[in-house]
Amino acid sequence: MNTPKNSSELEDIEIQLLLEGVYRYYGFDFRNYAPASLKRRIWNAIRAENLGSVSALQEKVLHDANAMERFLLGLSVNVTAMFRDPTFYLTFRNKVVPLLRTYPFIRIWCAGCSTGEEVYSLAILLQEEELYHRCRIYATDMNEMVLRKAKSGIFPLHLMQEYTQHYLKAGGIKSFSEYYTAAYDSAIFRASLKENIVFSQHNLAIDGSFNEFNVILCRNVLIYFNPFLQERVHNLLYDSLCRFGILGLGRQESLKTTLYEKHYEELENHEKIYRKLG
Ligand SMILES: C[S@@+](CC[C@H](N)C(=O)[O-])C[C@H]1O[C@@H](n2cnc3c(N)ncnc32)[C@H](O)[C@@H]1O
């Protein structure tokens, strides 16, 4: 027998076993997520389930599909907002929309769309620019539960004040309240906004490309991955974009130091909107 390992090494082994089990049994692959935030979330799940160790959590999630669903929800950070980082949308309106006007049909992929706020924001912007009828937006996430919310197009009413501010900073040209109906504490968004949206499950860690797109938004997803998985996803996004296609990343994300840096040009400093080179 080798010298006993210290508790942190043991915990790392338990985490590897948990992630391996979840991958083999359920097909969700968290093995290449950034370790620090993953560890934090695993411990949140352990506490939420009233357990005492990673191994106990493994036992629970492998034998109880409901516990797995809760675990999945805890691991995938679903924080999002309408017109999140408004200047991103302003740049999209000013710099990307004129390029899109030259296409007869526009295919867009929102990868890691969470509960859909980003997709509805884009649909609003494209409607205002009179381009929406030419668009098909594929909104995907690995988590079916958040996709169900996204499909509903219903968001908490109390957030609308904040979203109105975002919308105006993003160059919105109407009254934001035109886009939803208030009912009790919910804002129900216009059905016409989701006419050209296809919601479906797609896992960036294991699934392949499923179309060729003119625009891909993959915002605030890559930050949760380790460099190996980030590289895989960059490869997938690159392969899924047509020539001169547009890639939008999150504020804390970048193509710098990836193999793909030289294959794109930045459309505007700091906004993380890139154009694939020919
Ligand atoms: C922080 S949210 C970002 C939502 C939205 N893109 C935004 O910027 O507001 C991250 C989303 O990525 C999803 N996600 C995490 N890992 C994923 C994977 N391997 N494949 C697809 N989606 C994933 C999570 O379920 C979550 O909904």
Side-chain angles (χ1 to χ4, degrees):
M1 193 168 99
N2 291 336
T3 345
K5 311 229 180 268
N6 66 37
S7 61
S8 140
E9 276 177 286
L10 181 58
E11 190 191 333
D12 288 347
I13 293 171
E14 286 181 286
I15 290 179
Q16 278 170 18
L17 293 172
L18 165 69
L19 300 181
E20 189 63 32
V22 164
Y23 173 56
R24 291 226 214 146
Y25 194 58
Y26 292 106
F28 287 103
D29 191 357
F30 293 101
R31 295 173 302 173
N32 288 301
Y33 277 48
S37 86
L38 188 65
K39 205 180 262 192
R40 211 170 38 247
R41 282 167 215 296
I42 288 174
W43 273 101
N44 288 344
I46 293 169
R47 281 187 287 270
E49 299 288 340
N50 280 320
L51 300 168
S53 70
V54 180
S55 297
L57 182 67
Q58 176 187 320
E59 210 270 331
K60 179 119 194 197
V61 297
L62 290 183
H63 290 275
D64 178 348
N66 293 328
M68 176 58 202
E69 204 157 282
R70 292 192 292 273
F71 180 57
L72 181 60
L73 206 57
L75 280 201
S76 57
V77 185
N78 301 115
V79 180
T80 186
M82 283 202 155
F83 295 95
R84 182 178 190 175
D85 307 321
T87 53
F88 175 91
Y89 288 90
L90 190 61
T91 305
F92 193 96
R93 207 186 266 273
N94 293 336
K95 295 263 165 99
V96 179
V97 162
L99 302 173
L100 299 185
R101 289 201 194 286
T102 63
Y103 294 112
F105 191 74
I106 304 153
R107 272 192 303 271
I108 301 175
W109 180 16
C110 279
C113 69
S114 190
T115 38
E117 285 81 341
E118 176 175 71
V119 195
Y120 287 90
S121 308
L122 198 59
I124 290 172
L125 190 157
L126 291 165
Q127 266 196 359
E128 290 183 357
E129 297 297 332
E130 294 178 8
L131 277 179
Y132 188 60
H133 61 288
R134 281 198 250 157
C135 295
R136 172 66 43 92
I137 307 179
Y138 296 83
T140 66
D141 201 283
M142 69 167 177
N143 188 329
E144 279 190 83
M145 234 186 302
V146 295
L147 280 174
R148 277 200 291 276
K149 278 199 187 170
K151 265 184 218 172
S152 77
I154 301 174
F155 302 104
L157 189 61
H158 71 89
L159 294 175
M160 292 308 127
Q161 225 174 352
E162 182 191 340
Y163 291 171
T164 303
Q165 297 307 316
H166 287 191
Y167 166 77
L168 294 173
K169 284 187 195 148
I173 52 179
K174 296 199 175 170
S175 158
F176 190 57
S177 59
E178 280 186 35
Y179 293 104
Y180 63 86
T181 312
Y184 301 102
D185 50 4
S186 297
I188 305 167
F189 277 72
R190 273 198 213 159
S192 70
L193 289 172
K194 51 184 168 182
E195 247 164 34
N196 298 347
I197 305 177
V198 178
F199 293 96
S200 82
Q201 194 185 24
H202 180 279
N203 191 324
L204 292 161
I206 48 180
D207 296 329
S209 181
F210 59 95
N211 214 326
E212 199 182 57
F213 298 95
N214 306 102
V215 176
I216 301 179
L217 300 191
C218 184
R219 305 184 64 220
N220 307 298
V221 183
L222 289 158
I223 32 171
Y224 299 105
F225 299 165
N226 74 10
F228 171 83
L229 185 52
Q230 288 182 8
E231 205 68 32
R232 178 199 199 269
V233 177
H234 275 306
N235 184 39
L236 177 67
L237 302 180
Y238 183 80
D239 282 348
S240 306
L241 264 182
C242 66
R243 233 174 134 213
F244 303 124
I246 299 295
L247 174 66
L249 300 179
R251 182 156 280 179
Q252 298 166 55
E253 294 158 341
S254 157
L255 283 173
K256 283 211 172 70
T257 76
T258 74
L259 290 176
Y260 295 88
E261 188 178 1
K262 57 183 183 301
H263 298 295
Y264 291 90
E265 63 173 335
E266 207 171 2
L267 276 194
E268 172 103 341
N269 265 344
H270 309 305
E271 286 304 340
K272 310 296 167 62
I273 300 185
Y274 304 90
R275 190 181 195 199
K276 181 174 170 174
L277 298 171

Coordinates of all heavy atoms in Angstrom, one line a residue, residues 29-30 33 76-81 84 111-115 118 140-143 146 202-205 218-221 224-225, ligand 1:
D29 N -21.1 15.6 -19.0 CA -19.6 15.6 -18.8 C -19.1 16.8 -18.2 O -18.9 17.9 -18.8 CB -19.0 15.4 -20.2 CG -17.5 15.1 -20.1 OD1 -17.0 15.0 -19.0 OD2 -16.9 14.8 -21.1
F30 N -18.9 16.8 -16.9 CA -18.3 17.9 -16.2 C -16.8 17.7 -15.9 O -16.2 18.4 -15.1 CB -19.0 18.1 -14.8 CG -20.5 18.5 -15.0 CD1 -21.5 17.6 -14.9 CD2 -20.8 19.9 -15.3 CE1 -22.8 18.0 -15.1 CE2 -22.1 20.3 -15.5 CZ -23.1 19.3 -15.4
Y33 N -14.5 20.9 -16.4 CA -15.0 22.2 -16.0 C -13.9 22.8 -15.1 O -13.1 22.0 -14.5 CB -16.3 22.1 -15.2 CG -17.5 22.0 -16.2 CD1 -17.5 21.2 -17.2 CD2 -18.6 22.9 -16.0 CE1 -18.6 21.2 -18.1 CE2 -19.7 22.9 -16.8 CZ -19.7 22.0 -17.9 OH -20.8 22.0 -18.8
S76 N -24.8 23.8 -13.2 CA -24.8 24.7 -14.4 C -25.3 26.1 -13.8 O -26.4 26.2 -13.4 CB -25.7 24.2 -15.5 OG -27.0 24.0 -15.0
V77 N -24.4 27.1 -13.9 CA -24.8 28.4 -13.4 C -25.7 29.0 -14.5 O -25.3 29.2 -15.6 CB -23.5 29.3 -13.3 CG1 -23.8 30.6 -12.6 CG2 -22.5 28.5 -12.4
N78 N -26.9 29.3 -14.1 CA -27.9 29.8 -15.1 C -28.1 31.3 -15.0 O -29.1 31.8 -15.7 CB -29.2 29.0 -14.9 CG -29.0 27.5 -15.0 OD1 -29.1 26.7 -14.1 ND2 -28.5 27.1 -16.2
V79 N -27.3 32.0 -14.3 CA -27.5 33.4 -14.2 C -27.5 34.1 -15.6 O -26.6 33.8 -16.4 CB -26.3 34.1 -13.4 CG1 -26.5 35.6 -13.3 CG2 -26.1 33.4 -12.1
T80 N -28.5 34.9 -15.9 CA -28.6 35.6 -17.2 C -29.5 36.8 -17.0 O -30.0 37.1 -15.9 CB -29.1 34.6 -18.2 OG1 -29.1 35.2 -19.5 CG2 -30.6 34.1 -17.9
A81 N -29.6 37.6 -18.1 CA -30.4 38.8 -18.0 C -30.8 39.2 -19.4 O -30.1 38.9 -20.3 CB -29.7 39.9 -17.3
R84 N -28.1 41.8 -21.4 CA -27.0 41.7 -20.5 C -25.8 42.4 -21.1 O -25.5 42.1 -22.3 CB -26.7 40.2 -20.2 CG -25.6 40.0 -19.2 CD -25.4 38.5 -19.1 NE -24.5 38.2 -18.0 CZ -24.3 36.9 -17.5 NH1 -24.9 35.9 -18.1 NH2 -23.5 36.7 -16.5
A111 N -25.6 29.4 -28.0 CA -25.2 28.2 -27.3 C -25.1 28.5 -25.8 O -24.4 29.5 -25.4 CB -23.9 27.8 -27.8
G112 N -25.7 27.7 -25.0 CA -25.7 28.0 -23.5 C -26.7 29.1 -23.2 O -26.3 30.1 -22.6
C113 N -27.9 29.0 -23.7 CA -28.8 30.2 -23.7 C -29.5 30.3 -22.3 O -30.3 31.3 -22.1 CB -29.9 30.0 -24.8 SG -31.0 28.7 -24.5
S114 N -29.3 29.3 -21.4 CA -30.0 29.4 -20.1 C -31.5 29.5 -20.3 O -32.1 28.9 -21.2 CB -29.4 30.4 -19.3 OG -29.8 30.3 -17.9
T115 N -32.1 30.4 -19.5 CA -33.6 30.5 -19.5 C -34.1 31.4 -20.6 O -35.3 31.8 -20.6 CB -34.0 31.0 -18.1 OG1 -33.1 32.0 -17.6 CG2 -34.1 29.9 -17.1
E118 N -31.3 36.0 -23.2 CA -30.5 36.5 -24.3 C -31.1 36.3 -25.6 O -31.0 37.2 -26.5 CB -29.2 35.6 -24.2 CG -28.2 35.8 -25.2 CD -26.9 34.9 -24.9 OE1 -27.0 33.7 -25.0 OE2 -25.9 35.5 -24.5
T140 N -29.8 26.8 -27.6 CA -29.5 25.5 -27.0 C -28.9 25.6 -25.6 O -28.3 26.6 -25.3 CB -28.5 24.7 -27.9 OG1 -27.3 25.3 -27.9 CG2 -29.0 24.5 -29.3
D141 N -29.1 24.6 -24.8 CA -28.4 24.5 -23.5 C -28.4 23.0 -23.2 O -29.1 22.2 -23.7 CB -29.3 25.3 -22.4 CG -28.4 25.6 -21.2 OD1 -28.2 24.7 -20.4 OD2 -28.0 26.8 -21.1
M142 N -27.5 22.7 -22.3 CA -27.4 21.2 -21.9 C -28.5 20.9 -20.9 O -28.8 19.7 -20.7 CB -26.1 20.9 -21.3 CG -25.9 21.6 -19.9 SD -24.4 20.9 -19.1 CE -24.4 21.8 -17.6
N143 N -29.1 21.9 -20.3 CA -30.0 21.7 -19.2 C -31.5 21.9 -19.7 O -31.9 23.0 -20.0 CB -29.7 22.7 -18.1 CG -30.4 22.5 -16.8 OD1 -31.5 22.0 -16.8 ND2 -29.8 22.8 -15.7
V146 N -33.9 24.5 -17.8 CA -33.8 25.9 -18.1 C -34.4 26.1 -19.5 O -35.0 27.2 -19.8 CB -32.4 26.5 -18.0 CG1 -31.9 26.5 -16.6 CG2 -31.4 25.9 -19.0
H202 N -28.4 20.8 -26.3 CA -27.1 20.5 -26.9 C -26.1 20.7 -25.9 O -26.1 21.7 -25.1 CB -26.9 21.5 -28.1 CG -25.6 21.3 -28.8 ND1 -24.4 21.8 -28.3 CD2 -25.3 20.6 -29.9 CE1 -23.4 21.4 -29.1 NE2 -23.9 20.7 -30.1
N203 N -25.2 19.7 -25.8 CA -24.1 19.8 -24.8 C -22.8 20.1 -25.4 O -22.3 19.3 -26.3 CB -24.0 18.5 -24.0 CG -23.2 18.6 -22.8 OD1 -22.1 19.3 -22.8 ND2 -23.5 17.9 -21.7
L204 N -22.2 21.3 -25.1 CA -21.0 21.7 -25.8 C -19.8 20.8 -25.4 O -18.8 20.8 -26.2 CB -20.7 23.1 -25.3 CG -21.6 24.2 -25.9 CD1 -21.5 25.5 -25.0 CD2 -21.4 24.5 -27.3
A205 N -19.9 20.0 -24.3 CA -18.8 19.2 -23.9 C -18.7 17.9 -24.7 O -17.7 17.3 -24.8 CB -18.8 18.9 -22.4
C218 N -22.0 32.7 -27.8 CA -21.7 31.7 -26.7 C -21.2 32.5 -25.6 O -19.9 32.6 -25.4 CB -20.8 30.6 -27.2 SG -20.5 29.3 -26.0
R219 N -22.1 33.1 -24.8 CA -21.6 34.1 -23.8 C -21.7 33.6 -22.4 O -22.7 33.0 -22.0 CB -22.5 35.4 -24.0 CG -22.4 35.9 -25.4 CD -23.2 37.2 -25.6 NE -22.6 38.3 -24.8 CZ -23.3 39.2 -24.1 NH1 -24.6 39.1 -24.1 NH2 -22.6 40.1 -23.4
N220 N -20.7 33.8 -21.7 CA -20.6 33.4 -20.2 C -20.9 32.0 -20.0 O -21.5 31.6 -19.1 CB -21.7 34.3 -19.5 CG -21.5 35.8 -19.7 OD1 -20.5 36.3 -19.4 ND2 -22.5 36.4 -20.4
V221 N -20.3 31.2 -20.9 CA -20.3 29.7 -20.7 C -18.9 29.2 -20.6 O -18.6 28.4 -19.7 CB -21.0 29.1 -22.0 CG1 -21.1 27.5 -21.8 CG2 -22.4 29.7 -22.2
Y224 N -16.7 28.7 -17.4 CA -16.8 27.6 -16.5 C -16.0 26.4 -16.9 O -16.0 25.3 -16.2 CB -18.3 27.2 -16.3 CG -19.1 28.4 -15.8 CD1 -19.9 29.2 -16.6 CD2 -18.9 28.8 -14.5 CE1 -20.6 30.3 -16.2 CE2 -19.6 29.9 -14.0 CZ -20.4 30.6 -14.8 OH -21.1 31.8 -14.4
F225 N -15.3 26.5 -18.0 CA -14.6 25.3 -18.6 C -13.1 25.4 -18.3 O -12.6 26.6 -18.3 CB -14.8 25.2 -20.1 CG -16.3 24.9 -20.5 CD1 -16.7 25.1 -21.8 CD2 -17.2 24.6 -19.5 CE1 -18.0 24.9 -22.2 CE2 -18.6 24.4 -19.9 CZ -18.9 24.6 -21.2
Ligands
LIG1 C1 -24.1 31.8 -17.0 S1 -25.3 31.0 -18.1 C2 -25.1 32.1 -19.5 C3 -26.4 32.4 -20.1 C4 -26.4 33.4 -21.3 N1 -25.6 32.9 -22.4 C5 -25.9 34.7 -20.9 O1 -24.8 35.1 -21.2 O2 -26.6 35.4 -20.1 C6 -24.4 29.6 -18.6 C7 -25.2 28.5 -19.3 O3 -24.4 27.6 -19.9 C8 -25.0 26.3 -19.8 N2 -23.9 25.3 -19.9 C9 -23.0 24.9 -19.0 N3 -22.3 23.9 -19.5 C10 -22.8 23.6 -20.7 C11 -22.5 22.7 -21.7 N4 -21.5 21.8 -21.5 N5 -23.2 22.7 -22.9 C12 -24.2 23.5 -23.0 N6 -24.6 24.5 -22.1 C13 -23.8 24.5 -21.0 C14 -25.6 26.3 -18.4 O4 -26.6 25.4 -18.3 C15 -26.1 27.8 -18.3 O5 -27.5 27.8 -18.7

